[in-house]
Every structure is written in structure tokens, then in C-alpha cells.
Amino acid sequence: MNFSQLLDWWLDRAEWVVQNPKARTSLMIPALCVCPSHEEDKRNGGNYFRIYLVWSFWALLTGQSEEEEDETTLNVKRGILAMRRGRFEEAEEMFHLALKQSHDENREMAVTHILDLMADLNVANGRLEVAEELYVDVMRRLLQIHERTVADIAMIGISLKLSEIFIARGDLGKAEEGYKYAVDQMRERLKDCEKDVGDSATREDLGNLMIASLTQYGRFLFETRRSRQAETLLSEAYELSVKTEGEESLQSIYILNDLCTARVTLGEASEKELEDVILKALKTSELLGEEDGDSSNRGSMFVNLGLVYVRQARWEEALEACRKGLHLGKTARRSGTIYEAERCLEQVSAKSTQPLLL
């Protein structure tokens, strides 16, 4: 899974929250395509690195209800929608305006939240150094101003974001430290939660972030050729997802795709099983109304399906799937999906006895 797809997924969810302010959404984890290694990432300028942007909701951070919305809140929402539509300059303008308003009103938590959104925006623009500085500043504010602990959900979420920036820089050691920290902290938080009934929303947030942490770390381990460890974490993430979202949810199916991919590598699952999971994910996403042009997952799923067909020497089916993935990547402007689809088509061209017309 590449950065552009995951960013688009996060923005899709953000826009949904803006349009449905009374609703609480559960975490939906995008599918992982077996994409370039970290070495390939670096050779291509870091354009295809994997990133998982943890959700952040205005009401969750500020405690503000729909009825209490003011101009600052509306400017934040306008910035999110502008970012969703690729209008980064407009988004930056809205966030800076909201930031000034929050400073003038001494709303420290709002300031912290907006800085986090500005960091996300800088990641989208490829300004990773600026994004890293902002994330670090957000963590400092959480600890010093808001008196949060290192085990706070927001701290863990930023740790995941920073890990992906470290991957883009080629610092896999620091990236893994961030993933391990997130998983370890979440295990402790869930243990504490089990001892005290607490608030259901908090338990839901903890469960969602645990699934995100396990899945992202599992993908990292798989991509660094540690399939057995990856399988263990992805299996745990899948079980948690089935428990909270159900076996037929897209989230569970996408994680199952990752899990099957790892198991195929280990010789513990067949290509047919992986094919069935991918086809199920595509069918489910279609039934749930994921449009081809809007989906941040379907393109990668088609590429993954094409790679399955390549390994089975099913050239015509591989060509069709990879072309579909390429089309969806171009339609949705997913640079990583386009790259993966082109690599898939190159394999088809090299191994097929039929001439390949792109």
C-alpha cells in the first residue's frame, strides 16, 4: 500500500465525518498491495512508501458538539474538504486562519489539533521534514500543555505517522521502534481497559487503534521479509476486526488479504485462497457502494489479483486485472497504484507469449 492511497482513504473518512457530524465511524483499514521494497522506495524518491494516517476527529479532541460549532470549527472543516479535493493551498489557508483564531481565543486543544492537521497536509505535499517537526511539536504540546501520557491514544497515533516518515527517509530502525512502541502501549491500554468497564467509546477507540497498530506493524514486517512475525500480528488484527466489525466488513476482508498474502509466502495458504479473498473484497466494496473513481483500495486489489494470475501463468486474466488497476489508478490519481500496475504489466509482457498492447 502506498502513501497516496492511504492519504486518500483518510481524507475520504474525514469528509464523511464532516458530512455526518453526529455519526461515530469505526476504523477502516485499506488493503495492502504487494508493492515495492523499501530499497525501491528510495530509488524512486520515496514516492511509493506506505503510510497509515490515524484518524482524528474534531469533537474527539475538543469535546465540541455539533450545536456548538463556530467559525473556527467551520474553517477546520473547510480545510479538511479542500485537502480532500487536492486544493492544498486553500487547505493551508483555512488551517492557518483557524490556527490564528484558536490562538486568539486561547483554545489550546484546538491549536494542537490544527497543528496535527497541518502536519498531515505537509505529508500530502511531500514536505516530510516540516511534517515531522509539526508532529513532534504536537507530541510536546500533548505532554506539556495537555498533560497527556506517553500511552495516550493521540501519542500512539502520531508515533505511527512518524514511523512512516522514517520509512521514507530509509531509517527502518526508527520506524520499527515506533511500530513496536504503538503495539506495546496499546496492549497495556487494553489490559487496563479490561479491568475497568469505562466508557464504551474509549474501548471502541482503543480497539480500533490496536487493529491499526497491529496491521501497520504486520505490513512493515512482511515488507522487510519477516513473514512469520507478520503473519502473527496480522492474524491478531484480523481476529480483533472480526470481533468488532464482523467477518463480512471491508476492514476484515482487507486485513484477511494481507494475512493470506503472508501465508502464501509461508506456504500456509494457496494462491486460490488469496484469489478468493481479493475477489470477495472487490465484490463487497462494490456492494457497499465504493465507486471505482473514489475508492482508494480497488485499484490495488486489482493489481494484487493480477499478480496472483501472473504467478499462475494466467496471462489474459492477469492482463485484464492489471489494466483495470492501472485505469483506476489513473482515474483516482493514485501514483503508487499506477506504479504497481505498470510493474505488473511489465511482468505480463515479459512472460506472456502474446504481444502486450498497453
Side-chain angles (χ1 to χ4, degrees), residues 331-342:
T331 300
R333 299 181 180 179
R334 311 287 198 265
S335 60
T337 301
I338 294 171
Y339 174 79
E340 294 154 12
E342 289 175 343

Side-chain angles (χ1 to χ4, degrees), residues 30-46:
L32 169 68
C33 187
V34 183
C35 53
S37 67
H38 299 300
E39 288 301 317
E40 288 171 315
D41 285 339
K42 287 183 281 185
R43 287 199 299 272
N44 289 283

Side-chain angles (χ1 to χ4, degrees), residues 56-158:
S56 56
F57 299 120
W58 177 263
L60 184 63
L61 286 178
T62 64
Q64 189 176 46
S65 68
E66 181 185 11
E67 290 75 14
E68 296 170 335
E69 285 184 358
D70 53 21
E71 190 62 27
T72 303
T73 305
L74 292 174
N75 283 331
V76 169
K77 290 185 174 184
R78 291 177 186 126
I80 291 173
L81 291 177
M83 186 161 59
R84 165 69 181 89
R85 294 163 182 158
R87 301 199 296 262
F88 295 148
E89 290 186 5
E90 180 183 338
E92 188 168 17
E93 181 181 346
M94 289 295 100
F95 290 151
H96 275 293
L97 179 58
L99 184 65
K100 182 180 183 304
Q101 291 170 330
S102 298
H103 275 303
D104 292 343
E105 298 164 3
N106 294 318
R107 296 166 62 179
E108 295 294 347
M109 183 55 79
V111 170
T112 302
H113 175 58
I114 295 166
L115 289 173
D116 186 54
L117 287 171
M118 292 174 68
D120 293 342
L121 178 61
N122 276 280
V123 171
N125 273 326
R127 299 193 294 248
L128 300 184
E129 290 186 3
V130 176
E132 182 179 353
E133 291 176 0
L134 286 169
Y135 285 138
V136 171
D137 190 32
V138 171
M139 296 179 84
R140 178 191 62 78
R141 291 179 59 85
L142 287 170
L143 292 170
Q144 297 180 2
I145 298 178
H146 308 300
E147 299 182 343
R148 302 290 182 89
T149 69
V150 293
D152 187 84
I153 286 180
M155 294 288 289
I156 295 169
I158 295 173

